[in-house]
Amino acid sequence: MRSVVLAGGGTAGHVSPLLALADTLVDRHPGLDVVILGTESGLEADLVPARGYELTTVPKVPMPRRPTGDLLRLPGRLKAAVDAAGAAMREPGAEVVVGFGGYVSTPAYLAARRLAVPLVVHEQNARPGLANRLGARLTRYVGVTFASTPLPHSTLTGMPLREQIRTLDRTTRRTEAARELGLDPGRPTLLVTGGSLGAQRLNDAFAGAASSLVAAGLQVVHVTGRGKEFEPEVPTGPGRYVVLPYAERMELCLAAADLVVARSGANTVCELSAVGAPSVLVPLPIGNGEQRLNAHDVVAAGGAILVEDAAVDSQWVVDVVVPLALDDERLAAMSVAAAAVGVRDGHERLADLVERAARRVT
């Protein structure tokens, strides 16, 4: 394989698996020409160049959900985006196009169909988005993260994860990770994260319970999201409360943590399961309900517990999270259960599917 086009962007949930696949394909095919399509305004504008790849931008084409003026302008905008995606495919002679959903994927799918380039679709969430529902109708090569995802022609690939996560051994890295974070490896540690953008509900609840967490002897690493950090008001106590706006090395946070409280975005759920991290998952209460569905398998296995967003406040942290974080026996059982449903080789499985598509093998 000499050339591949990868399309996806907008959120880390789209960009992270895209980059994990790009690295895997380059490892398998040295000298591979990788063209990555994205928008100027999504996270891909920063994350793709930071990984060493060039980003080719395509006009952003949101799909209007109501009959407004945007609907009248849609055909012209979509044609421009499809033309731009097609040009990006023709120049390197793309042998296969892989889409991960999001605004840029729809024009990529239509351009691939027009140019008769084999197409692979990867859906991260248990409930697929509009772009991937369209893409799955145009190809026989569809990779899904969760077995319950309702897309035709699907193959269960799991989520492509970055190397630092999929190779993480939490047990052997715990002491090193705790020390790098300025923590005591011998004390129970709680990780709180709302994803790359943070979660205000989690931020407010844990900020209000900070003194109780420290007094209980817990160490807390709280990733708030950039611009949402706060100064925790904690008394001198046996524990410690560390606030980070962003985790540059999330693998260290996961290695140090005995329990994680997080949103249930697909990438988060898959990372936690892959490394066997016990968790409390709080689905985002907006959108099409995909975060609740993303959490289903690991919750059913006993590796996580699911809590409604409306139930999360400072008193809940004290009454529920603190006792769980101090229950070594239950956390050990949850860790085993989470790892049992985790997938560490999603990058290899998806790369296999891409290679089959490039050879047009079913």
Side-chain angles (χ1 to χ4, degrees):
M1 194 160 63
R2 299 179 303 277
S3 176
V4 61
V5 171
L6 309 181
T11 68
H14 291 135
V15 182
S16 293
L18 182 155
L19 290 173
L21 176 66
D23 290 346
T24 303
L25 291 175
V26 169
D27 286 344
R28 289 189 179 190
H29 303 275
L32 179 69
D33 188 357
V34 178
V35 176
I36 297 180
L37 303 182
T39 66
E40 294 180 342
S41 58
L43 284 178
E44 64 271 21
D46 295 323
L47 297 179
V48 169
R51 189 68 73 88
Y53 296 103
E54 183 177 348
L55 180 69
T56 299
T57 59
V58 172
K60 185 175 179 179
V61 188
M63 295 298 174
R65 296 177 183 271
R66 291 187 297 274
T68 64
D70 285 339
L71 186 61
L72 298 176
R73 290 186 286 271
L74 177 62
R77 288 176 173 174
L78 185 58
K79 181 182 184 303
V82 172
D83 288 346
M89 295 171 195
R90 279 193 299 268
E91 184 176 347
E95 295 172 73
V96 62
V97 173
V98 188
F100 292 82
Y103 293 129
V104 75
S105 289
T106 297
Y109 296 156
L110 295 174
R113 176 65 173 253
R114 186 169 69 184
L115 297 173
V117 178
L119 172 64
V120 178
V121 171
H122 184 267
E123 174 56 52
Q124 296 84 59
N125 289 295
R127 178 171 286 166
L130 289 172
N132 281 351
R133 292 208 299 271
L134 168 65
R137 298 168 70 98
L138 305 179
T139 181
R140 296 170 295 167
Y141 305 100
V142 179
V144 296
T145 299
F146 302 101
S148 61
T149 303
L151 286 177
H153 318 299
S154 63
T155 298
L156 181 62
T157 61
M159 178 77 78
L161 301 174
R162 52 203 169 93
E163 183 179 9
Q164 296 92 330
I165 298 295
R166 65 180 184 252
T167 60
L168 177 64
D169 184 326
R170 293 173 61 242
T171 301
T172 59
R173 295 286 301 279
R174 177 183 170 84
T175 297
E176 168 208 349
R179 287 177 176 161
E180 288 205 34
L181 292 167
L183 304 175
D184 180 351
R187 287 201 170 276
T189 301
L190 173 68
L191 169 63
V192 181
T193 174
S196 58
L197 301 179
Q200 200 59 48
R201 172 80 70 171
L202 297 181
N203 289 348
D204 292 344
F206 280 86
S211 61
S212 297
L213 290 160
V214 170
L218 287 170
Q219 298 178 126
V220 181
V221 178
H222 188 154
V223 184
T224 61
R226 289 193 173 102
K228 299 176 182 178
E229 56 267 38
F230 60 91
E231 187 67 36
E233 297 181 7
V234 296
T236 301
R240 188 172 178 205
Y241 205 107
V242 176
V243 174
L244 302 175
Y246 182 78
E248 297 289 348
R249 299 184 64 190
M250 181 56 77
E251 69 275 11
L252 292 181
C253 298
L254 291 174
D258 298 289
L259 175 66
V260 181
V261 180
R263 290 295 194 200
S264 50
N267 209 58
T268 297
V269 170
C270 292
E271 289 189 352
L272 294 174
S273 301
V275 303
S279 61
V280 178
L281 299 174
V282 185
L284 190 67
I286 60 175
N288 62 8
E290 71 272 12
Q291 287 208 357
R292 169 181 286 278
L293 296 175
N294 293 343
H296 178 270
D297 289 353
V298 67
V299 171
I305 62 174
L306 189 74
V307 177
E308 298 295 341
D309 183 81
V312 174
D313 58 20
S314 297
Q315 192 60 50
W316 170 82
V317 173
V318 173
D319 293 342
V320 177
V321 177
V322 170
L324 179 58
L326 296 173
D327 190 339
D328 293 342
E329 185 175 339
R330 186 177 180 192
L331 292 179
M334 290 176 69
S335 178
V336 171
V341 299
V343 174
R344 289 193 182 232
D345 64 344
H347 62 300
E348 300 285 7
R349 296 186 194 184
L350 184 57
D352 290 343
L353 186 63
V354 171
E355 290 174 347
R356 291 208 306 274
R359 300 195 308 269
R360 302 177 191 264
V361 175
T362 55

